[in-house]
């Protein structure tokens, strides 16, 4: 059974870059046809899909976040990473990594994902 675990700083200052890593165990991030997403939930709001990296290494981003988002991977460590630049307090959220198939691109519908990390709180504040 695949397991995902987010890690990274819990506090980031405004204008800095938020960097989170998702470590995957029990399955390879290069396994065919799986897509590895970053999703967040801000206080009082619903889940927001941010972007994904595919088994092939291709990346996909939410258009409104694309200019300041980068997702990469380290296959030797079976990890993938989110970088979100120029953060503001509005980027305060619980950040999740998750696994799904191609239909998960551009959606945070929980029913479409088969595995989630537990989530990590990130607060943007000076």
């Amino acid at each position: 059974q695949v397991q995902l675990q987010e890690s990274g700083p819990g506090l980031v200052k405004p204008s800095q870059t938020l960097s989170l890593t998702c470590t995957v165990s029990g399955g390879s991030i290069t396994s065919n046809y799986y897509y590895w997403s970053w999703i967040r939930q801000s206080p009082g709001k619903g889940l927001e899909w941010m972007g994904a990296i595919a088994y092939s290494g291709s990346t996909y981003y939410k258009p409104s976040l694309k200019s300041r988002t980068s997702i990469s991977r380290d296959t030797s460590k079976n990890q993938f990473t989110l970088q979100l630049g120029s953060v503001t307090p509005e980027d305060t959220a619980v950040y999740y990594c998750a696994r799904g198939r191609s239909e998960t691109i551009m959606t945070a519908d929980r029913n479409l994902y088969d595995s989630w990390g537990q989530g990590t709180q990130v607060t943007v504040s000076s």
Side-chain angles (χ1 to χ4, degrees):
Q1 181 178 354
V2 69
Q3 294 185 320
L4 296 82
Q5 178 67 59
E6 305 90 349
S7 60
L11 180 65
V12 182
K13 295 185 184 300
S15 81
Q16 292 186 342
T17 295
L18 179 163
S19 183
L20 297 174
T21 296
C22 183
T23 301
V24 179
S25 58
S28 172
I29 62 173
T30 62
S31 294
N32 277 348
Y33 314 127
Y34 281 111
Y35 293 72
W36 306 86
S37 290
W38 285 100
I39 296 163
R40 67 182 180 180
Q41 186 165 26
S42 301
K45 297 185 179 179
L47 295 169
E48 177 185 24
W49 182 85
M50 300 179 69
I53 187 164
Y55 60 97
S56 61
S58 296
T59 52
Y60 307 83
Y61 300 104
K62 181 176 181 177
S64 62
L65 295 174
K66 186 176 181 179
S67 64
R68 58 189 186 101
T69 303
S70 177
I71 297 174
S72 59
R73 67 180 184 177
D74 185 336
T75 57
S76 68
K77 296 181 179 179
N78 215 34
Q79 296 175 332
F80 62 105
T81 299
L82 169 73
Q83 290 193 309
L84 180 66
S86 303
V87 297
T88 72
E90 292 188 348
D91 294 309
T92 294
V94 177
Y95 287 75
Y96 299 92
C97 54
R99 186 185 79 166
R101 301 287 191 174
S102 60
E103 62 267 23
T104 58
I105 298 302
M106 297 295 180
T107 180
D109 184 343
R110 281 190 175 272
N111 295 324
L112 297 179
Y113 292 86
D114 60 23
S115 300
W116 289 73
Q118 64 182 24
T120 187
Q121 173 71 47
V122 177
T123 300
V124 179
S125 175
S126 56

